[in-house]
Amino acid sequence: MKEKRCLCEICTCGRHHCPHKSTRIYDTGGQPSLMTEYEDKYLQYGNVPPRQSLKPKEEYQAHHGRMEGITTFKSDYLPYDVVNRPLRVQEEYKPKPGEIDFGTTYRRDYNPHKIQPVTLVRPLERKHIKGGKLDTIPTYQDDYRSWEVQRREPNKLDHTYHPPTEKFGNSTTFQDDFVPRELNPRQSFKPPGVAKLSDVPFDGVTNHRSSYIAYQLEPKFVRPKEEYKPSSQPFEDLTTHRNDFKGLLGEFTKSCKPEYTKVGSNGHFDGCTEFQDRFQPWSVSLPEARKIRDYVPPSGNMDLHSTSHLDYVPHVICPVAPVRPVSYGRRSKVPFEGNTTMKEDFQAWASCRQEIIKRHQEIPKPTGKFDGLTTFKSHYIPHEIIPVQSFKPLRVVVPSSARFEDGTMYRTEYTPKKQEICPANYPSPPGYVFVNTDSRGHKFFRRVIPEINTFSQSNGNHIPKEVAVTS
């Protein structure tokens, strides 16, 4: 006998779950009450439409008036007769007569003094040079001699590649499937890269050549070059340093460096050091090379059974029902009060746009008709344009006698499957009878198994009878 099943267990797609409610300590067995304290106190009001938006619509507001062709430039601009500026004649340079007085207050107030050259205070550099050649042997080179070490033989196995003697005769899928075909190259419609010469003679008349008027220029004023006049007074090379500085004789600074004295000895040099006395060289032997044993595979078959495979017993486990409560949306029947202290204290003031401050027109407007003819319109000569011939090839499909291969991997390997509908999509799953709903929100159904009894004869007719048996 099968027990009753929940809607979560009947579902085959995994998207249907029971509305789990909060757990109750004392289960009365009746239907759960969906009324809450919030719904009891706050009643639902009628259809309250939202506030209308005062934001202006983003639409183009067209001006339906007539457009005048007068601009500010046309209304304010007045053409004047422009006269060329008169050229200013450069005056001829005339030097002033007389001699220049080079006397200054510095020369007047500071008297010259006789100065002797400054003597150097820096001592002479002494170089100590000794003759003879330095021939010494360091202790490291004398104590540590090079040993004759034999080179180890490599233990690497000899894996030499031997190419096969027979020819590789397997063909690829590309060679099996691909059939070479003759390619018919298309005719090239590209124009030859040769410049086309025109039969019309070249018209070299430009606006500059036709409108330019050559004027005769006056000769430019050239200032005459002055001759160099050397000064009759001798050159004074006396500087302020030579004039103001007085060199005073002083004593040389005494050196605090101790005098260099050679520390020498008449005894014979003993080459024995403390390191040589305490640390004697030891005889070192080379490490023995360890031979690697050859791998010998074990005999017999390998037992792949583990303790987990032998001792583990599979059990049928039902999925755990989630304990998450149902989330109900909170809906209020009271209309929303949108008044704030900001809206009550700061009211919108009626503001008008400030008019543009325009200056009074000091220049009177022109009275005559504006001549809109430009130099380009007056000097431009239109020419006949010959369109360039297009060499673009026509879009013509080239027919082919070969058969088009439309076989794909999707067509060869696709297997159509029947779409199954989940039984939980129906209000009452087919083959199940609703039993009850518990306090946690689980809907339980009981499966109905149809059973056909033996035929009973009544009045000479065989009538089958179907009885519904619940399990």
Side-chain angles (χ1 to χ4, degrees), residues 1 7 19 57 69 102 143 146 154 199 208 219 236 252 263 288 296 318 353 369 403 405 420 425 434:
M1 298 295 289
L7 186 66
K57 297 181 180 178
F102 293 100
D143 298 341
S146 59
D199 300 335
H208 181 76
E236 295 183 2
F252 295 106
V263 179
E288 296 181 359
V296 179
C318 298
R353 190 173 182 181
K369 188 178 180 181
R403 183 181 177 185
E405 296 181 3
E420 297 180 0
N425 285 333
F434 176 75

Coordinates of all heavy atoms in Angstrom, one line a residue, residues 1 7 19 57 69 102 143 146 154 199 208 219 236 252 263 288 296 318 353 369 403 405 420 425 434:
M1 N 0.9 -1.2 0.0 CA 0.0 0.0 0.0 C 0.9 1.2 0.0 O 1.8 1.4 0.9 CB -0.9 0.0 1.2 CG -1.9 -1.1 1.3 SD -3.1 -1.2 -0.1 CE -4.1 0.2 0.4
L7 N 2.7 17.5 -3.5 CA 2.8 18.1 -4.8 C 4.3 18.2 -5.2 O 4.7 18.1 -6.4 CB 2.2 19.4 -4.8 CG 2.1 20.1 -6.2 CD1 1.2 19.3 -7.1 CD2 1.6 21.5 -6.1
P19 N 3.3 26.0 -1.0 CA 3.5 27.2 -0.2 C 3.7 26.9 1.3 O 2.8 26.7 2.0 CB 2.2 28.0 -0.5 CG 1.2 26.9 -0.8 CD 1.9 25.8 -1.5
K57 N 5.8 67.7 -21.6 CA 6.2 66.6 -22.6 C 7.3 67.1 -23.4 O 7.4 68.2 -23.8 CB 4.9 66.3 -23.4 CG 3.8 65.7 -22.6 CD 2.6 65.4 -23.6 CE 1.4 64.8 -22.8 NZ 0.3 64.6 -23.7
G69 N 13.2 87.0 -43.3 CA 14.6 86.7 -43.8 C 15.6 87.7 -43.4 O 16.7 87.7 -43.9
F102 N 80.5 110.0 -20.5 CA 80.5 108.7 -19.9 C 80.7 108.7 -18.4 O 80.9 107.6 -17.8 CB 81.5 107.8 -20.6 CG 81.2 107.5 -22.0 CD1 81.8 108.2 -23.0 CD2 80.2 106.6 -22.4 CE1 81.5 108.0 -24.3 CE2 79.9 106.4 -23.7 CZ 80.6 107.0 -24.7
D143 N 96.4 27.1 -0.3 CA 95.9 26.0 0.5 C 94.9 25.1 -0.2 O 94.9 23.9 0.0 CB 95.2 26.6 1.7 CG 96.2 27.4 2.6 OD1 97.4 27.2 2.4 OD2 95.7 28.2 3.4
S146 N 93.3 22.4 -6.8 CA 92.3 21.8 -7.6 C 92.4 20.3 -7.7 O 93.5 19.8 -7.8 CB 92.3 22.4 -9.1 OG 93.6 22.1 -9.6
P154 N 76.1 9.7 -17.6 CA 74.7 9.9 -17.5 C 73.9 8.5 -17.4 O 74.3 7.6 -18.1 CB 74.3 10.7 -18.7 CG 75.4 10.3 -19.7 CD 76.7 10.1 -18.9
D199 N 40.3 65.6 -74.5 CA 40.5 66.4 -75.7 C 40.3 67.9 -75.6 O 40.7 68.6 -76.5 CB 39.5 65.8 -76.8 CG 39.8 64.3 -77.0 OD1 40.9 63.8 -76.8 OD2 38.8 63.6 -77.4
H208 N 42.3 84.9 -59.5 CA 43.5 85.8 -59.2 C 44.1 86.4 -60.5 O 44.4 87.6 -60.5 CB 44.6 85.0 -58.5 CG 45.8 85.8 -58.1 ND1 45.8 86.7 -57.0 CD2 47.0 85.9 -58.7 CE1 46.9 87.2 -57.0 NE2 47.7 86.8 -57.9
P219 N 60.1 102.9 -54.3 CA 61.3 102.3 -53.7 C 61.4 102.4 -52.2 O 61.0 103.4 -51.6 CB 62.5 103.1 -54.4 CG 61.8 104.4 -54.8 CD 60.4 104.1 -55.1
E236 N 89.9 100.8 -20.4 CA 90.1 100.6 -19.0 C 89.5 99.2 -18.6 O 88.3 99.0 -18.7 CB 89.4 101.6 -18.1 CG 90.0 103.0 -18.3 CD 89.3 104.1 -17.4 OE1 88.4 103.6 -16.7 OE2 89.6 105.3 -17.5
F252 N 99.6 79.5 6.2 CA 99.0 78.4 5.6 C 98.3 77.5 6.7 O 98.8 77.5 7.9 CB 100.1 77.5 4.9 CG 100.7 78.2 3.7 CD1 101.9 78.7 3.8 CD2 99.9 78.3 2.6 CE1 102.5 79.3 2.7 CE2 100.5 78.9 1.5 CZ 101.8 79.4 1.5
V263 N 105.9 50.9 8.8 CA 106.1 49.9 9.8 C 106.8 48.7 9.2 O 106.2 48.0 8.4 CB 104.7 49.5 10.5 CG1 104.9 48.5 11.6 CG2 104.0 50.8 11.0
E288 N 79.2 7.8 -3.6 CA 78.9 6.6 -4.5 C 77.6 6.8 -5.2 O 76.6 7.3 -4.6 CB 78.9 5.4 -3.6 CG 80.2 5.0 -3.0 CD 80.2 3.7 -2.2 OE1 79.1 3.2 -2.2 OE2 81.2 3.4 -1.6
V296 N 59.8 -4.0 -12.0 CA 59.2 -5.4 -12.3 C 57.8 -5.3 -12.0 O 57.4 -5.1 -10.8 CB 60.0 -6.5 -11.5 CG1 59.3 -7.8 -11.8 CG2 61.4 -6.5 -11.8
C318 N 14.3 10.5 0.9 CA 13.4 11.5 0.4 C 14.0 12.9 0.5 O 14.7 13.2 1.4 CB 12.1 11.4 1.2 SG 11.2 9.8 1.0
R353 N 10.2 85.4 -17.3 CA 11.5 85.4 -17.9 C 11.9 86.9 -18.2 O 11.1 87.7 -18.7 CB 11.5 84.7 -19.2 CG 12.9 84.4 -19.8 CD 12.8 83.5 -21.0 NE 14.1 83.3 -21.6 CZ 14.4 82.5 -22.6 NH1 13.4 81.9 -23.2 NH2 15.6 82.3 -23.0
K369 N 18.9 98.9 -51.4 CA 18.7 97.5 -51.6 C 20.1 96.8 -51.5 O 21.1 97.3 -52.0 CB 18.1 97.2 -53.0 CG 17.7 95.7 -53.2 CD 17.1 95.5 -54.5 CE 16.7 94.1 -54.7 NZ 16.1 93.9 -56.1
R403 N 25.8 19.1 -57.5 CA 24.7 19.0 -56.5 C 25.1 19.7 -55.2 O 26.3 19.5 -54.8 CB 24.4 17.6 -56.3 CG 23.2 17.3 -55.4 CD 22.9 15.9 -55.2 NE 21.8 15.6 -54.2 CZ 21.5 14.4 -53.8 NH1 22.1 13.4 -54.3 NH2 20.5 14.3 -52.9
E405 N 25.5 20.0 -51.4 CA 25.5 19.1 -50.2 C 25.0 19.8 -49.0 O 25.7 20.7 -48.5 CB 26.9 18.6 -50.0 CG 27.4 17.7 -51.1 CD 28.8 17.2 -50.9 OE1 29.3 17.5 -49.8 OE2 29.4 16.6 -51.8
E420 N 7.5 16.0 -22.5 CA 6.6 15.5 -21.5 C 6.1 16.7 -20.7 O 6.9 17.6 -20.3 CB 7.3 14.5 -20.6 CG 7.8 13.3 -21.3 CD 8.5 12.3 -20.3 OE1 8.6 12.7 -19.1 OE2 8.9 11.3 -20.8
N425 N 1.5 20.7 -13.3 CA 0.9 21.9 -14.0 C -0.6 22.0 -14.0 O -1.2 23.0 -14.1 CB 1.4 21.9 -15.5 CG 2.9 22.3 -15.6 OD1 3.4 23.1 -14.7 ND2 3.5 21.9 -16.6
F434 N -7.1 14.7 -4.6 CA -6.7 15.5 -3.6 C -7.2 15.0 -2.2 O -8.4 14.6 -2.1 CB -7.2 17.0 -3.8 CG -6.9 17.9 -2.7 CD1 -5.6 18.4 -2.6 CD2 -7.9 18.3 -1.8 CE1 -5.3 19.3 -1.5 CE2 -7.6 19.2 -0.8 CZ -6.3 19.7 -0.6

